[in-house]
Amino acid sequence: MPRVVRCSIIQASNAVAATEPLATQKKAMIEKHLGLIRKAAGDGAQIVCLQEIFNGPYFCAEQSTKWYETTEPVPDGPTVKLMQQLAKELRIAMVVPIYEVEQEGIFYNTAAVLQNDGTYLGKYRKTHIPHVAPGFWEKFYFRPGNLGYPVFDLGFARIGIYICYDRHFPEGARCLGLNGAEIVFNPSATVAGLSEYLWKLEQPAHAAANGYFIAAINRVGTEAPWNIGEFYGSSYFANPRGQIVAQASRDKDEVLTADLNLDEIAEVRRTWQFFRDRRPDMYGPLVAS
């Protein structure tokens, strides 16, 4: 029997104005996502991944210390605890991206990984942190990740996480493949403009170069008061050949669900022997300081 895994990725617009009290914003986004997660479970999803920092707006469009108040410990904060209960109730594995506090003054852009019985399996911290116009001031908020490129064994699939800006760097994508990832989830927040054409280029290329599935998630809408651009959705799944096999809309809240046949990984890797033909003995200059 083929190893088919049904996955859902969720893209959503901001629920309330970013001028509302922080607690109101977080509550509204969590409540919005609870319904979307339940829809994914109703569609038969075994794994559900949410968008980058799902429980609020993309606040990195400004530099303000008030957003430090939205951080939570992982896994002991209220949002991850709530999602653990939901994962157990719905029997779904989950990827939950939030703003993490390790200790006061040390913050990360993090995704928690939950087993389908609610067990916390671990986390990935965003490795590459941008600080670029028109409003991606992430170095003000996040320390670079320090956990490497872990792969999480769900029993029925091995998954890895890459977050947003990470997708521009092929090195970590290769590490995830070498570490055994079969599906790589990339929760993102990216707007139309300079990098949009890369959205359908880079991640399918990672999938093809490493022979695994990619699930790419982007939020939707324009977020005031910053209005740095349109978050253009277009979340998708790409197969190990780098082909986009399912794609969401550009401008609507959506649960995108697809069946991924993990047997395709072996088929593709036996055709394209990229891992066999690697030359790590020649790559030293890539990591020389």
Side-chain angles (χ1 to χ4, degrees), residues 161-224:
I161 318 296
Y162 226 26
I163 297 179
C164 198
Y165 190 66
D166 284 332
R167 71 182 182 273
H168 301 306
F169 300 86
E171 295 86 356
R174 173 54 54 85
C175 289
L176 287 166
L178 293 174
N179 288 343
E182 296 172 309
I183 309 169
V184 172
F185 292 89
N186 186 297
S188 301
T190 188
V191 296
L194 182 62
S195 71
E196 185 173 359
Y197 80 100
L198 297 173
W199 181 247
K200 295 181 183 179
L201 176 66
E202 290 174 318
Q203 295 182 95
H206 294 332
N210 296 288
Y212 52 46
F213 288 89
I214 285 275
I217 307 98
N218 185 27
R219 62 175 60 213
V220 295
T222 300
E223 297 184 356

Side-chain angles (χ1 to χ4, degrees), residues 115 118 133 187 207 219 229 271 281:
Q115 180 57 285
R219 62 175 60 213
T271 301
D281 56 305

